[in-house]
Amino acid sequence: MRDVTNNDYARYKMDDLQKRLNTKQITLKNWVEEIPSIPVPAFLFKNKGSNNFEDVSKSWNSGKPTFSNGAAYSDLDNDGYLDVVVNNINDVPFIMKNNGKQQLGNNFLSVSFEYEKGKIDIGTIGRLTLSNGVTITES
């Protein structure tokens, strides 16, 4: 497996390899084998507020060095905290579970609506009014 996005490789080796390939000194396979391929660790940052972030990659275990090229977040275990799924090239994806519930002990509210036969439920709205009068609406 090769990291074909290595810009250092492209900048310094491309011309030489192209000439060697054109003069049949090397094959395309030889060329690909000369491309440097070094997996790198992912980085995770904790928002400290006021545009300050802390590198917590090691303490939060960002996974082994790999070639990651995409991520998505979702609450995979319905605990109210977003988990992260990271795609890795030529490797299994990382699923990073958010342990905020165990560490912070926060609570969350889950609301589900019951369908009433014969009624249209598209666009159903839930409203929560806090003790200070603030209303939160979701649809």
Side-chain angles (χ1 to χ4, degrees):
M1 308 303 164
R2 298 289 174 204
D3 175 15
V4 295
T5 60
N6 185 323
N7 290 331
D8 291 333
Y9 161 78
R11 199 172 314 135
Y12 298 110
K13 293 282 190 172
M14 186 70 155
D15 288 342
D16 176 57
L17 289 172
Q18 183 70 51
K19 287 176 190 172
R20 291 171 52 202
L21 181 67
N22 289 344
T23 59
K24 301 198 185 322
Q25 294 175 17
I26 61 171
T27 65
L28 187 56
K29 183 177 186 260
N30 298 133
W31 184 345
V32 170
E33 289 171 348
E34 287 196 36
I35 299 172
S37 180
I38 303 168
V40 294
F43 289 93
L44 296 172
F45 293 92
K46 179 180 181 179
N47 186 349
K48 306 281 281 180
S50 301
N51 291 325
N52 292 309
F53 296 87
E54 175 187 357
D55 182 356
V56 291
S57 304
K58 288 183 182 170
S59 62
W60 288 3
N61 186 14
S62 66
K64 67 179 186 177
T66 186
F67 299 106
S68 301
N69 71 336
Y73 55 91
S74 177
D75 182 7
L76 297 173
D77 54 4
N78 261 349
D79 66 355
Y81 291 85
L82 294 176
D83 307 300
V84 179
V85 179
V86 180
N87 184 57
N88 297 310
I89 298 173
N90 300 318
D91 206 346
V92 296
F94 294 153
I95 298 177
M96 299 177 176
K97 181 178 176 358
N98 186 336
N99 293 321
K101 182 177 182 181
Q102 293 85 346
Q103 294 176 350
L104 301 174
N106 292 344
N107 297 307
F108 68 97
L109 176 67
S110 177
V111 178
S112 55
F113 297 97
E114 293 182 10
Y115 173 72
E116 196 172 316
K117 189 173 181 176
K119 297 228 175 181
I120 297 174
D121 62 352
I122 297 173
T124 301
I125 297 173
R127 288 193 182 96
L128 174 68
T129 304
L130 305 176
S131 60
N132 64 1
V134 174
T135 301
I136 300 171
T137 304
E138 287 287 328
S139 60

